[in-house]
Amino acid sequence: MAEQDPRGDPPRDLPRDPIEHLVGLLARLPGLGRRSARRAALKMLMHPEKAMLPLAEALRAAAAAVQPCGVCGNLSARNPCGICTDARRDRGLICVVEGVAELWALERAHAHRGLYHVLGGTLSALGGVGPEDLAVQPLLARIAEAAVPVEEVILALPATVDGATTAHYLSDRLQGSGVQVTRLAQGVPMGGALDVLDEGTLAAALKARRSL
Amino acid sequence: MAEQDPRGDPPRDLPRDPIEHLVGLLARLPGLGRRSARRAALKMLMHPEKAMLPLAEALRAAAAAVQPCGVCGNLSARNPCGICTDARRDRGLICVVEGVAELWALERAHAHRGLYHVLGGTLSALGGVGPEDLAVQPLLARIAEAAVPVEEVILALPATVDGATTAHYLSDRLQGSGVQVTRLAQGVPMGGALDVLDEGTLAAALKARRSL
């Protein structure tokens, strides 16, 4: 069945039609629906050498080269990653994040000059995620064995119940280690209109008000 | 410079960092901005074998297999394409479209049971596009040499000045060939609210009104 006469039935019914197969894979990407996947495939098919083969090669190269950093868990073509090996960064300051997406977002903000630690999730009683499922032990080991003493751990965890649970748990585990534990400020986001903000954020922003 | 010490500077400044390179190529796809390209790359990097290598292979396979159909101009892994070789289609009916995107859109509507002809653009005095730049001659040759006589040519061209110019030109060229030339109806789109429609469409819809 796979090797049909190339002049036989129309390709729409064949699951292995290369165009439909490509559109199907593109449509799985976040942000691309089936409609835009079709548009993207068509645009690329107009210039196969210029558009498709470079992307195919980039995907293969990234899949082959990129791996989690053995120190912080960042995804990178180097191990340890470029952040962990950057001599200009403050090694006494570790920012704990849920995942690599959050690490990248903080890097784009250019606001953190220390190192990172990717937990790989948050504790979740409902989801059955315990401390042993996260990179908690590697964080504690990293702090205990650091050549440069770690002075502060910033918990940049999501402002959710699971995020708060994880923050409390980590804070407990770090008690007595001499490391200062902090968390991100909560409040009104930049450019945020007050009337569309949820009550929780408004209450937190009011409670944490500062004098001008 | 390309072969740097893997523990050297952070990768952000390297143009050839595989992640940044991949994000850059993904961001060129229509519908994906740089932000969603980063999200897509990250999602794929979590599962390189499951998400990246299949997409890389699909891109290579499509680039290798897909070509314009020698008869109608559709992009397909077969030549002639599955539509041109489909015995169930009405060979006396040819729908002329500007590009492959329009062909695919009409196919998705399941409304045309004949064949297609991709012009590859529309005539444009300003853009310097003349009849010799489009697949006009192949269309006339195809009609003249058809084994089954072509009875009707449907001009499914864009409702723009260039589209109308092209339609008039093709209509002129087909005069005397015994082929009936038609064009798509203009009017209010399905679900279209009248107050947001442009005046041209409203005027056309009013002029082409039909009795209930």
Side-chain angles (χ1 to χ4, degrees):
Chain A
M1 285 298 281
E3 285 294 322
Q4 289 207 359
D5 174 11
R7 305 210 177 184
D9 279 340
R12 271 176 302 154
D13 308 323
L14 289 177
R16 270 289 162 185
D17 174 68
I19 299 178
E20 281 307 311
H21 182 56
L22 174 62
V23 169
L25 288 177
L26 285 173
R28 285 194 211 161
L29 297 181
L32 274 189
R34 198 161 181 90
R35 201 187 188 94
S36 24
R38 211 176 266 118
R39 213 150 50 90
L42 186 54
K43 195 193 163 192
M44 286 194 284
L45 282 165
M46 300 288 189
H47 311 283
E49 264 88 39
K50 262 174 60 189
M52 304 185 83
L53 298 184
L55 180 54
E57 186 43 40
L59 285 162
R60 289 166 56 90
V66 174
Q67 57 188 310
C69 169
V71 178
C72 74
N74 183 20
L75 284 171
S76 166
R78 302 167 180 197
N79 190 4
C81 75
I83 294 171
C84 284
T85 53
D86 186 349
R88 290 164 299 182
R89 285 190 172 254
D90 183 353
R91 316 193 83 71
L93 186 59
I94 295 182
C95 181
V96 175
V97 289
E98 182 180 15
V100 177
E102 288 73 25
L103 189 162
W104 289 6
L106 284 163
E107 273 303 280
R108 286 200 296 281
H110 298 294
H112 177 58
R113 298 307 303 162
L115 305 180
Y116 290 94
H117 191 84
V118 176
L119 274 188
T122 48
L123 296 176
S124 168
L126 283 174
V129 181
E132 64 286 356
D133 301 314
L134 306 178
V136 173
Q137 206 48 54
L139 174 65
L140 301 175
R142 196 179 157 188
I143 292 169
E145 296 156 13
V148 177
V150 176
E151 286 161 14
E152 181 179 350
V153 166
I154 306 169
L155 301 176
L157 295 169
T160 60
V161 171
D162 287 347
T165 307
T166 311
H168 275 119
Y169 175 81
L170 289 176
S171 182
D172 277 356
R173 293 294 302 266
L174 289 166
Q175 197 119 46
S177 65
V179 176
Q180 189 188 1
V181 180
T182 58
R183 65 169 178 83
L184 296 188
Q186 284 190 313
V188 180
M190 212 74 111
L194 293 192
D195 56 348
V196 296
L197 267 183
D198 64 290
E199 293 80 6
T201 303
L202 275 179
L206 202 61
K207 205 169 155 192
R209 68 190 179 278
R210 313 200 319 187
S211 54
L212 278 173
Chain B
M1 285 298 280
E3 286 295 322
Q4 290 206 1
D5 174 11
R7 304 213 178 183
D9 280 341
R12 271 175 302 154
D13 308 323
L14 290 177
R16 271 290 162 187
D17 175 67
I19 298 178
E20 280 307 310
H21 182 57
L22 174 61
V23 168
L25 288 178
L26 285 173
R28 286 194 211 161
L29 296 182
L32 274 189
R34 196 158 182 92
R35 201 187 186 94
S36 24
R38 210 175 267 119
R39 214 149 51 90
L42 185 53
K43 195 193 163 191
M44 286 194 285
L45 282 165
M46 300 288 189
H47 311 284
E49 265 88 37
K50 262 175 60 189
M52 305 186 82
L53 299 185
L55 180 55
E57 184 45 40
L59 285 162
R60 289 164 58 91
V66 174
Q67 56 188 312
C69 169
V71 177
C72 74
N74 183 21
L75 284 171
S76 167
R78 302 167 179 196
N79 191 4
C81 75
I83 295 171
C84 285
T85 53
D86 186 350
R88 290 163 300 183
R89 285 190 172 253
D90 182 352
R91 315 193 83 73
L93 185 59
I94 295 182
C95 181
V96 175
V97 290
E98 183 180 14
V100 177
E102 288 74 24
L103 190 162
W104 289 6
L106 284 164
E107 275 302 280
R108 285 200 297 281
H110 298 294
H112 177 58
R113 297 308 302 162
L115 305 180
Y116 290 94
H117 191 85
V118 176
L119 273 188
T122 48
L123 295 175
S124 168
L126 284 173
V129 181
E132 66 284 356
D133 300 313
L134 306 178
V136 173
Q137 205 49 54
L139 174 64
L140 301 175
R142 196 179 155 187
I143 292 169
E145 296 156 14
V148 177
V150 176
E151 286 162 13
E152 182 179 349
V153 166
I154 306 168
L155 302 176
L157 295 168
T160 60
V161 172
D162 287 347
T165 307
T166 312
H168 275 119
Y169 175 81
L170 289 176
S171 182
D172 277 356
R173 293 293 303 265
L174 289 166
Q175 198 120 45
S177 65
V179 175
Q180 190 189 0
V181 180
T182 57
R183 65 169 177 84
L184 295 188
Q186 285 190 310
V188 180
M190 212 73 111
L194 292 192
D195 57 348
V196 296
L197 266 183
D198 63 291
E199 293 81 5
T201 302
L202 274 180
L206 203 61
K207 206 169 153 192
R209 66 190 179 279
R210 313 198 321 187
S211 53
L212 280 173

